[in-house]
């Protein structure tokens, strides 16, 4: 097994995960604390809400991004949080992706969205580490996004923490909105999630936690898009592409032995499964030292 940092596939949930206490927000904080304890060089993250047309992908190169307003959350909980864009690493990601044949472009005016910003506030409440955000492509080809992860995987050896921000079960057509509309409560569970959502959630856990890192994980994540309940779990594909990205990041033969764990989960809007997966672990004996040093 390679002596590399873990990677995370986080279901970013609704904006209320920033506004209210939850076990998944606690898990994000723990993962952020672990990353800082190992002196990460920076964070590289793919969200779900930034999708580029035709064959293009983009890397955020805005030196002063404005975070998207976080609906239904008191501004006092995030307004003072200052983004820390990592333009130098953004340029490196661009060159690596371009060298691999991707039509990768700079995005000098891109502002941070609610698929990444609230998660970073929860992970690193004392201050934002250097962050690079990469887009998806709007064709939502799982092999395309897996290859993006494979191309950027060498940066893990330098101590970068990779995060795929999406959703384990994310189909807004199956969500139940009544408690959110009336009480601004996304966590209310008057009855259990529907069977198709529960079935896919279990299939995703099986693929990640039974395989761990390696080519089997990469193939399994892609194969789940043919699962009979995939479309029930994902009405559209964008919240799943960051899982495919993760498959490339930790889907090499060298990644065999990296354990996959379900670190936390909850359900929002009754049928939206907010599963939080980590694959791999921090190198032992490296606290206080840069990974790769």
């Amino acid at each position: 097994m390679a002596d590399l940092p873990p990677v995370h596939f986080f279901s970013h949930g609704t904006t209320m995960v920033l506004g209210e206490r939850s076990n998944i927000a606690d898990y994000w904080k723990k993962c952020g604390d672990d990353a800082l304890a190992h002196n990460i060089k920076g964070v590289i993250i793919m969200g779900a809400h930034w999708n580029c047309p035709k064959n293009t992908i983009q890397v955020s190169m805005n030196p002063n991004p404005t975070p998207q307003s976080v609906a239904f959350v008191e501004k006092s909980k995030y307004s003072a949080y200052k983004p820390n864009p990592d333009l130098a690493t953004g340029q490196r990601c661009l060159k690596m992706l371009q060298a691999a044949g991707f039509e990768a472009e700079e995005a000098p005016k891109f502002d941070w969205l609610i698929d990444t910003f609230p998660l970073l506030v929860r992970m690193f409440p004392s201050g934002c580490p250097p962050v690079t955000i990469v887009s998806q492509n709007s064709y939502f080809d799982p092999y395309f996004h897996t290859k993006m992860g494979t191309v950027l995987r060498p940066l893990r050896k330098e101590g970068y923490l990779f995060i795929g921000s999406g959703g384990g079960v994310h189909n807004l057509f199956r969500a139940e909105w009544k408690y959110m509309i009336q009480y601004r409560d996304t966590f209310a569970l008057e009855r259990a999630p529907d069977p198709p959502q529960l079935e896919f959630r279990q299939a995703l856990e099986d693929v990640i936690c039974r395989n761990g890192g390696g080519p089997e994980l990469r193939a399994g994540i892609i194969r789940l898009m043919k699962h009979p309940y995939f479309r029930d779990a994902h009405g559209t594909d964008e919240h799943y592409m960051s899982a495919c990205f993760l498959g490339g990041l930790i889907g090499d033969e060298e990644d065999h032995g990296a354990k996959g764990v379900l670190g936390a989960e909850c359900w929002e809007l009754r049928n939206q499964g907010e599963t939080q997966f980590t694959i791999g672990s921090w190198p032992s004996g490296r606290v206080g030292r840069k990974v790769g040093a």
Side-chain angles (χ1 to χ4, degrees):
M1 180 178 67
D3 197 20
L4 302 177
V7 300
H8 301 297
F9 176 54
F10 288 156
S11 300
H12 59 249
T14 71
T15 59
M16 300 309 288
V17 179
L18 177 59
E20 304 293 335
R21 293 185 62 184
S22 68
N23 66 333
I24 62 175
D26 293 342
Y27 184 68
W28 293 348
K29 174 66 163 53
K30 176 187 179 300
C31 292
D33 290 346
D34 288 345
L36 294 176
H38 288 84
N39 288 326
I40 56 165
K41 195 170 183 179
V43 175
I44 302 174
I45 184 168
M46 174 185 283
H49 298 181
W50 185 18
N51 325 114
C52 293
K54 298 182 179 179
N55 292 313
T56 63
I57 51 175
Q58 295 186 333
V59 178
S60 177
M61 295 296 290
N62 186 344
N64 295 295
T66 300
Q68 184 179 16
S69 181
V70 185
F72 304 113
V73 177
E74 295 178 12
K75 286 194 174 182
S76 61
K77 294 188 175 182
Y78 65 89
S79 59
Y81 197 83
K82 184 174 176 57
N84 184 11
D86 187 349
L87 303 187
T89 301
Q91 284 288 355
R92 290 190 66 194
C93 290
L94 272 172
K95 291 179 180 179
M96 293 172 73
L97 291 165
Q98 290 168 346
F102 288 98
E103 295 181 29
E105 304 169 348
E106 293 186 13
K109 297 182 179 180
F110 177 77
D111 288 324
W112 290 13
L113 304 178
I114 58 171
D115 57 344
T116 52
F117 178 66
L119 190 157
L120 292 166
V121 176
R122 283 294 197 179
M123 286 188 75
F124 308 104
S126 298
C128 187
V131 172
T132 303
I133 303 177
V134 298
S135 79
Q136 298 180 1
N137 175 264
S138 59
Y139 286 139
F140 304 125
D141 180 341
Y143 296 96
F144 181 101
H145 292 85
T146 299
K147 184 180 177 182
M148 287 179 65
T150 301
V151 169
L152 296 179
R153 181 184 177 277
L155 294 175
R156 291 179 58 215
K157 297 180 179 180
E158 299 180 24
Y160 286 94
L161 178 68
F162 279 88
I163 301 171
S165 173
V169 176
H170 189 279
N171 184 348
L172 297 183
F173 299 105
R174 298 288 185 266
E176 196 167 275
W177 297 92
K178 61 181 181 180
Y179 290 108
M180 179 61 188
I181 293 171
Q182 188 168 359
Y183 303 111
R184 291 190 180 178
D185 183 357
T186 60
F187 298 109
L189 259 181
E190 191 175 49
R191 53 197 175 95
D194 292 334
Q197 279 69 34
L198 289 169
E199 185 71 25
F200 185 82
R201 170 247 175 258
Q202 186 61 54
L204 180 62
E205 180 186 355
D206 289 346
V207 164
I208 292 177
C209 296
R210 294 191 179 189
N211 285 309
E216 296 84 1
L217 172 73
R218 185 176 62 212
I221 288 176
I222 292 173
R223 188 175 62 249
L224 280 179
M225 292 191 74
K226 297 294 186 181
H227 190 282
Y229 291 133
F230 177 80
R231 194 50 71 203
D232 292 275
H234 288 273
T236 50
D237 294 336
E238 73 287 336
H239 280 74
Y240 193 74
M241 286 301 104
S242 52
C244 298
F245 179 60
L246 175 142
L249 288 164
I250 196 161
D252 193 88
E253 290 283 355
E254 191 180 23
D255 295 311
H256 273 134
K259 185 178 179 181
V261 297
L262 175 62
E265 72 172 320
C266 71
W267 289 82
E268 290 189 284
L269 306 173
R270 196 171 73 83
N271 275 326
Q272 188 165 302
E274 315 300 11
T275 44
Q276 314 299 319
F277 291 103
T278 297
I279 307 174
S281 58
W282 290 102
S284 60
R286 298 271 182 137
V287 175
R289 296 173 54 195
K290 289 185 178 180
V291 178

